[in-house]
Amino acid sequence: MLWFRYESAGFYDQTTLPGNVGLCGNITASQVTTFTAAAGSLLVDLRIATPKINGFFAATKNEVVSSGGNGNATVYGVAQCAETISKIGCQDCLNVAYNNLQSCLPDTDGRAVDAGCFMRYSSTSFFSDNQTTNIAHFLKGGGNSRNKGIIIGVAVGGGGLILLLIVGILLYFKLSRKSAADHRADILGATELQGPVNYKYKDMKSATKKFSQENKLGEGGFGDIYKGTLNNVKIVAVKKLVALQSDRAKANFLNEVKLISNVHHRNLIRLLGCCSKGPELLLIYEYMANSSLDRFLFGNFRPFSPARSKKGSLNWKQRTDRIIGTARGLAYLHEEFHVCIIHRDIKTSNILLDDSFEPRISDFGLARLLPDDQTHLSTRFAGTLRYTAPEYAIHGQLSEKVDTYSYGVVVLEIISGQKSSELKSDAMGEFLLEKAWKLYENGSHLELVDATLDPNDHKPEDVKKNHTDCSDVHSIISCSEANNV
């Protein structure tokens, strides 16, 4: 079986995409220290050599003799990049693959799959010695960078085909695995999706320093969230779910997480994996160093906020970019992913900012994980009251419009710099929604704009745009871009 791909748009130059993943075995090496050293050294060499080899393919093995006399370790590895990408693109892709495989060690097997490359290591030989590549002269300095391993190599031209076969079998196995217990997953289409990475509870406990107060990032309705460092390199955010203790909830947990972990968009936080074996259920996310949007709108008022920020520190352009980016993320959840996901808790504290201050919607899909009779509020709906559409809060009527209403409240907060729950102490003394509606009726739109904004940064006509046709997030994006807001 070969691995084929087709799309309606060109992808020949793609190297790494948000869907990249590391797939780890479930057997720990008997000689942990020796094997980890051998595998780590081999992966480094593959990462360096493969982009320099014609055809972007290398297969090699590394044998290490334990200095303590506890036994030897042999590890086998392959790496390959698509020949349609550049040498630099191959290097970038293999760097990501290498980092993804670090979380697998000291497991005896690990695979990393990305848009433009593939990397695998194993304690078991999956190619014969006459199919290996002599990579010694491709390494830095023209010699062996390990100084303690033996590389057996004879270049072969058919190695690429072998690798494609390996990838095809891997993907076929992951996509076709099915059981009667996955009936709900069938309904959601989740059995056709890539499964989440399963992290070990002990590793997450160590990464978060035993879920210490020092590493705590925040508290939420679904559970507390902690900063974690994997292998002293990769930083992640670890959420401890508090509402999933029943047997029924745990049974559905992996099926739902499988669905959510396949949602990839530049305006959505990526779910890296989960931990289902341990005293608590954990979700592992990308770490966002800039925290959440509310910090930059209302100031640093939360006790666990990782950095200080000044209220009103976003200018008009930055605010409108956050508005449009959030709309794009919602549009993907509602209409572009193969299953409609309604967030149900859109608010400024659930919009995180990456290193480039690009908005990323977080906690999407968490309401799907909750048991039918339990939510993160005392009421029967999942959400935060001041952002919740009346028809949902009162009658439980759930549709994409619930998120659109919440998003509208977020837009008003971004423009005004006022929290929707805050009762202004000015002469009007009104909540934000009431104030905004009256200003709209009176045609006094400009009075809603945050007073901390530089009036020279925005034009009055931009603020007063009448988006009467913007009834959903797709329309909001179109309206905003057409009006250059």
Side-chain angles (χ1 to χ4, degrees), residues 290-306:
N290 285 318
S291 191
S292 54
L293 179 59
D294 58 343
R295 262 202 321 120
F296 293 87
L297 293 175
F298 315 128
N300 187 29
F301 58 92
R302 289 184 293 149
F304 303 106
S305 189

Side-chain angles (χ1 to χ4, degrees), residues 320 323-324 327-328 407 411 462 465 467 470 473-485:
T320 54
I323 289 172
I324 296 174
R328 288 196 178 104
Y407 169 78
V411 171
D462 288 341
K465 291 294 183 184
H467 299 313
C470 300
V473 289
H474 270 307
S475 299
I476 291 168
I477 296 170
S478 299
C479 291
S480 299
E481 292 177 339
N483 293 316
N484 196 28
V485 176

Side-chain angles (χ1 to χ4, degrees), residues 269-338:
I269 285 291
R270 183 184 170 199
L271 177 63
L272 302 176
C274 67
C275 175
S276 58
K277 295 181 180 179
E280 295 150 319
L281 298 177
L282 308 177
L283 295 176
I284 294 86
Y285 290 95
E286 292 177 293
Y287 173 72
M288 296 288 110
N290 285 318
S291 191
S292 54
L293 179 59
D294 58 343
R295 262 202 321 120
F296 293 87
L297 293 175
F298 315 128
N300 187 29
F301 58 92
R302 289 184 293 149
F304 303 106
S305 189
R308 305 296 300 180
S309 64
K310 181 182 178 182
K311 178 179 180 179
S313 55
L314 297 176
N315 60 35
W316 176 257
K317 177 64 165 57
Q318 290 171 325
R319 297 190 191 208
T320 54
D321 286 347
R322 306 297 83 75
I323 289 172
I324 296 174
T326 303
R328 288 196 178 104
L330 272 181
Y332 182 84
L333 288 176
H334 290 174
E335 300 180 18
E336 296 171 25
F337 190 55
H338 80 285

